[in-house]
């Protein structure tokens, strides 16, 4: 299943690039008669191959493997918090928590996404040295927990991380005092809840980047988070019915729409772009290839 998904990603990367404007793949000599290296669409302006492949990949990204991993999240968080209670006994009055963040929680996860967890103490210090000590304490506490497999630690990075695997189903990245990442995840979740096209387009762009091997800060490319931000900016400025701009109220934690505090974000779908995800994907590439400055 993993091999088929990887093969589909490669094909999707090629089709998406060629069917938009050759952003990531220059046209060959035998394609010189195609305007800007684009594949011809049908009379309705749609690309049936891109639409079908996109639908297939979005279905696989939300398939059984992701659902199995997502089902492990509550138990994983509970066991991490139990480790905190056991190891932080000398700080019993403090409120420690394991807060999930990242693509699993924001609604932009794909097949193979890991779970990001922030270990934090309410009102506690937020500097990097303390974060490293917290992670070392968690690592010691996990030695007797057979559900977690310790892989390795990156403690000298800007954001120190423990790399774990839970029950051989869920990859977990544990950081500490990473408050901004938790807040950013809440904002992305609010955008994803405005309309299904937001998360679908974000996932599609991430899949395209993976198919073209253009995703990953560790390899000198943009991170998947950066690609999602590009998607949201595009939806806010480049389509006829733009995505609203959300601003967080620091006091209440609610989101104001387009900066108007009287227009609070409500549950349920509140935005419709009037275009399907495949059409938005084509416009996304055209925007960043031709219009963005």
């Amino acid at each position: 299943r993993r091999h088929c998904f990887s093969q589909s990603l490669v094909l999707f990367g090629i089709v998406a690039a060629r069917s938009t404007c050759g952003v990531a793949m220059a046209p060959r000599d035998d394609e010189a008669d195609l305007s800007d290296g684009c594949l011809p669409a049908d009379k309705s302006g749609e690309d049936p191959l891109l639409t079908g492949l996109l639908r297939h990949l979005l279905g696989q990204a939300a398939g059984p493997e992701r659902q199995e991993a997502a089902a492990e999240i509550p138990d994983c968080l509970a066991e991490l918090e139990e480790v905190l209670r056991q190891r932080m006994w000398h700080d019993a009055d403090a409120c420690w928590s394991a807060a999930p963040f990242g693509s699993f929680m924001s609604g932009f996860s794909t097949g193979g996404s890991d779970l990001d967890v922030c270990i934090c103490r309410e009102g506690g210090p937020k500097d990097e040295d303390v974060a490293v000590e917290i992670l070392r304490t968690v690592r010691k506490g996990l030695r007797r927990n057979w559900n977690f497999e310790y892989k390795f630690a990156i403690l000298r990075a800007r954001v120190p991380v423990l790399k774990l695997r839970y029950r051989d189903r869920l990859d977990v990245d544990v950081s500490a005092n990473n408050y901004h990442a938790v807040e950013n995840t809440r904002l992305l979740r609010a955008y994803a809840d405005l309309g299904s096209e937001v998360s679908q387009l974000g996932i599609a762009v991430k899949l395209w980047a993976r198919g073209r091997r253009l995703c990953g800060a560790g390899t000198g490319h943009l991170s998947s988070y950066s690609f999602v931000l590009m998607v949201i900016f595009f939806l806010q400025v480049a389509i006829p019915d733009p995505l609203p701009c959300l601003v967080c109220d620091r006091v209440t934690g609610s989101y104001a729409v387009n900066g108007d505090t009287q227009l609070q974000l409500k549950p349920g779908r509140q935005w419709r772009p009037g275009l399907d995800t495949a059409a938005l994907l084509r416009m996304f590439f055209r925007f960043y290839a031709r219009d963005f400055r």
Side-chain angles (χ1 to χ4, degrees):
R1 186 167 58 184
R2 288 178 180 269
H3 176 71
C4 292
F5 186 67
S6 298
Q7 292 293 93
S8 297
L9 279 181
V10 173
L11 178 58
F12 176 63
I14 295 173
V15 171
R18 291 179 63 192
S19 66
T20 51
C21 52
V23 174
M25 178 178 177
R28 303 190 307 269
D29 291 339
D30 57 351
E31 295 173 337
D33 58 328
L34 299 178
S35 175
D36 295 319
C38 299
L39 290 176
D42 61 19
K43 293 182 179 180
S44 65
E46 298 179 352
D47 184 339
L49 178 59
L50 177 61
T51 301
L53 188 55
L54 178 59
R55 186 181 299 113
H56 171 70
L57 279 174
L58 289 175
Q60 284 197 330
E65 184 176 348
R66 181 192 177 283
Q67 295 174 12
E68 291 174 3
E72 301 291 347
I73 291 178
D75 289 344
C76 175
L77 296 175
E79 292 192 37
L80 284 174
E81 291 187 342
E82 180 62 26
V83 168
L84 291 173
R85 283 191 290 270
Q86 293 176 358
R87 301 298 300 188
M88 302 298 186
W89 56 268
H90 57 282
D91 199 6
D93 294 333
C95 182
W96 289 91
S97 64
F101 67 97
S103 60
F104 252 119
M105 309 312 297
S106 67
F108 293 91
S109 65
T110 61
S113 293
D114 54 19
L115 173 67
D116 297 294
V117 179
C118 173
I119 302 297
C120 52
R121 186 185 73 177
E122 185 177 349
K126 302 181 180 181
D127 57 284
E128 181 179 313
D129 292 337
V130 174
V132 171
E133 289 304 315
I134 293 173
L135 293 182
R136 285 174 175 164
T137 300
V138 172
R139 181 170 59 182
K140 291 178 182 178
L142 290 174
R143 289 175 179 173
R144 296 183 180 180
N145 189 314
W146 302 110
N147 285 330
F148 284 96
E149 175 191 352
Y150 170 72
K151 298 165 71 176
F152 59 91
I154 306 174
L155 299 181
R156 295 184 178 229
R158 183 178 62 85
V159 178
V161 174
L162 290 182
K163 295 279 189 177
L164 311 172
R165 186 162 177 82
Y166 183 70
R167 291 179 179 171
D168 200 30
R169 292 182 179 177
L170 178 65
D171 289 313
V172 185
D173 288 358
V174 180
S175 58
N177 294 342
N178 197 5
Y179 296 94
H180 291 303
V182 177
E183 294 174 356
N184 292 342
T185 296
R186 289 185 62 245
L187 179 60
L188 292 186
R189 178 79 251 182
Y191 275 116
D193 288 342
L194 287 176
S196 59
E197 292 84 0
V198 180
S199 57
Q200 288 177 1
L201 182 60
I203 292 171
V205 171
K206 288 172 62 174
L207 292 175
W208 164 81
R210 283 174 57 185
R212 300 302 294 163
R213 298 181 181 179
L214 297 174
C215 185
T219 55
H221 300 296
L222 292 177
S223 66
S224 59
Y225 175 71
S226 298
F227 279 110
V228 173
L229 294 183
M230 290 174 64
V231 166
I232 291 175
F233 178 75
F234 156 75
L235 292 174
Q236 289 176 332
V237 303
I239 64 175
D241 297 309
L243 184 72
C245 177
L246 302 180
V247 179
C248 182
D249 186 320
R250 296 287 182 179
V251 177
T252 64
S254 60
Y255 289 94
V257 180
N258 292 330
D260 187 343
T261 56
Q262 300 302 314
L263 296 175
Q264 297 296 323
L265 186 61
K266 300 177 181 178
R269 184 185 181 101
Q270 298 185 61
W271 171 75
R272 296 181 183 275
L275 298 163
D276 64 20
T277 305
L280 290 172
L281 182 64
R282 293 166 65 91
M283 293 175 66
F284 171 87
F285 284 113
R286 288 197 176 100
F287 171 72
Y288 282 108
R290 301 175 181 176
D291 304 327
F292 179 72
R293 294 292 183 269

